[in-house]
Amino acid sequence: MSRSLTRNPNLDLTSPAFHKKLVEAWEQNLGRCSPAFPRDVSWWTGPNPEDKDCPGRTADGWIKALRMPNLASCKAAEVIAYFANGWVLTELLFASLIEEEAFYRPPYHGLRHPLIFYYVHPAVLYVNKLHVAGLLDDTINPYFERIFETGVDEMSWDDFSKNEMHWPDLDACRQYRREVYRVVEALIKKNKGLMGTAQYSETNPA
C-alpha cells in the first residue's frame, strides 16, 4: 500500500500522530456561534433568495445562474443583477451546512482549507482585485484579505499551517461578506462606463 494518498511527500496520511494533531488543532475554532438551520433572513448578506425580485429567481422559486452580460454594451443594472445572482448562489451552497463544525472541520487529508475559507474567499477576491485595479482606495479588513486570499496550491508550507490556525468566527465572516457586497454594489452603480437608462429584466437565466 502506498505510504501516502497525496502527491506531497511530506504527508503521511496513515500516521495516527498526523490525525491526532489535525483534530486537536481545528477544534479550537468551535463553540463561538450556532448558525440557525434552516437559515433565517439574517444569513443572507446580499439578496434574499425568497424575494421575488432576487436575480435569477424563477416563477416556481428556483434560483438559476444568469448568463454573463455582454461587456461591450451592458449597463449597471445588468451587471448588478449578474453580481447579485452569483453572490446568492454561493450563499445558498453554504446554507446547506447545518452546524458550526461543518465550517471549521478540515478535510481528512489536510491538503485544503476548512470550508470557512471558501465562504469568505470570493468576497476577498473582489476586494483585493478592485483595490489592485485602483477602483477601491482602501481595503475593508486587511487581516481577512490576507488569510482568505489564497489556499489552492498543494505546497508543504501551506499544508502544515492552515488547519492549525484560529479562524475568525462565522458571524464576523458573515458581516465581512455583507460589507463587501455593499461596497461592490455601490462601485458598480457609480461606474461611469455603465451609466445608462437600461434596466435589467428577467429574460436570460441559464
Side-chain angles (χ1 to χ4, degrees):
M1 180 177 177
S2 172
R3 179 176 180 271
S4 173
L5 299 178
T6 79
R7 292 176 294 163
N8 189 325
N10 298 312
L11 291 181
D12 179 6
L13 299 187
T14 64
S15 166
F18 171 80
H19 285 282
K20 182 175 185 294
K21 181 180 179 183
L22 191 65
V23 169
E24 290 177 346
W26 75 265
E27 287 184 338
Q28 69 179 311
N29 291 294
L30 300 181
R32 296 175 293 166
C33 59
S34 299
F37 189 87
R39 299 289 188 255
D40 58 28
V41 68
S42 68
W43 170 257
W44 313 109
T45 65
N48 183 338
E50 295 293 333
D51 292 344
K52 290 184 178 180
D53 60 350
C54 179
R57 194 177 196 273
T58 64
D60 55 0
W62 292 92
I63 305 293
K64 293 188 175 182
L66 300 180
R67 290 192 178 97
M68 184 175 178
N70 183 337
L71 298 180
S73 59
C74 60
K75 301 301 181 184
E78 191 175 0
V79 175
I80 289 172
Y82 183 72
F83 165 64
N85 176 246
W87 194 274
V88 77
L89 286 171
T90 298
E91 294 202 324
L92 281 167
L93 287 174
F94 284 94
S96 65
L97 302 181
I98 296 177
E99 297 180 354
E100 179 191 37
E101 179 177 326
F103 286 89
Y104 293 101
R105 177 186 284 273
Y108 79 96
H109 47 66
L111 296 176
R112 291 294 180 267
H113 289 303
L115 290 178
I116 191 67
F117 172 87
Y118 302 100
Y119 175 63
V120 184
H121 179 61
V124 162
L125 281 184
Y126 273 112
V127 173
N128 287 347
K129 295 294 186 182
L130 291 170
H131 182 59
V132 168
L135 296 172
L136 286 180
D137 293 333
D138 298 303
T139 59
I140 294 172
N141 184 323
Y143 178 64
F144 274 43
E145 284 132 16
R146 178 170 59 84
I147 66 170
F148 289 111
E149 181 179 21
T150 15
V152 296
D153 296 326
E154 190 177 311
M155 305 293 288
S156 61
W157 60 265
D158 197 26
D159 295 337
F160 293 132
S161 62
K162 61 178 172 282
N163 292 323
E164 298 175 14
M165 67 180 289
H166 188 79
W167 292 98
D169 66 63
L170 185 56
D171 289 338
C173 292
R174 191 164 66 240
Q175 183 55 42
Y176 178 81
R177 281 184 55 90
R178 183 172 289 110
E179 178 64 9
V180 172
Y181 184 87
R182 183 192 66 77
V183 167
V184 176
E185 183 184 47
L187 187 64
I188 295 170
K189 286 181 178 179
K190 71 178 184 181
N191 188 291
K192 293 181 179 180
L194 297 172
M195 295 299 180
T197 57
Q199 296 296 311
Y200 178 78
S201 60
E202 183 63 73
T203 58
N204 63 341

